[in-house]
Amino acid sequence: MAPEIIEVAGANVVSDIWSMGCTIVEMLRGKPPYYELVQMQALFKIVEDSNPPIPPNFSDEVKHFLVSFV
């Protein structure tokens, strides 16, 4: 869930890009970002972070692709 949705600011292009990045991370990793956190902790972390976390074991090409959305 994108930060804008959590904060009830409404969906927009930025929230779509956030969700796309998270979907790509989940497809490559097999687990969504913040999966290790309980639900409320994950929601707070999503609002605090400027970008979803990128796993360190991703290739440089994948990291570059994901940050190019921002």
Side-chain angles (χ1 to χ4, degrees), residues 14 32 34 40 45 49 52 68-69:
V14 174
Y34 309 106
M40 287 306 293
K45 194 77 171 137
D49 290 351
S68 68
F69 278 112

Side-chain angles (χ1 to χ4, degrees), residues 1 17-27 31-34 52:
M1 186 181 314
I17 292 170
W18 172 281
S19 297
M20 175 83 126
C22 289
T23 300
I24 292 168
V25 168
E26 185 169 357
M27 288 172 57
K31 299 175 184 172
Y34 309 106

Side-chain angles (χ1 to χ4, degrees), residues 2 4 8 14-16 24 26 34 37-39 49 53 60 70:
E4 296 81 9
V8 194
V14 174
S15 60
D16 290 342
I24 292 168
E26 185 169 357
Y34 309 106
L37 301 176
V38 296
Q39 185 176 2
D49 290 351
D60 289 340
V70 178

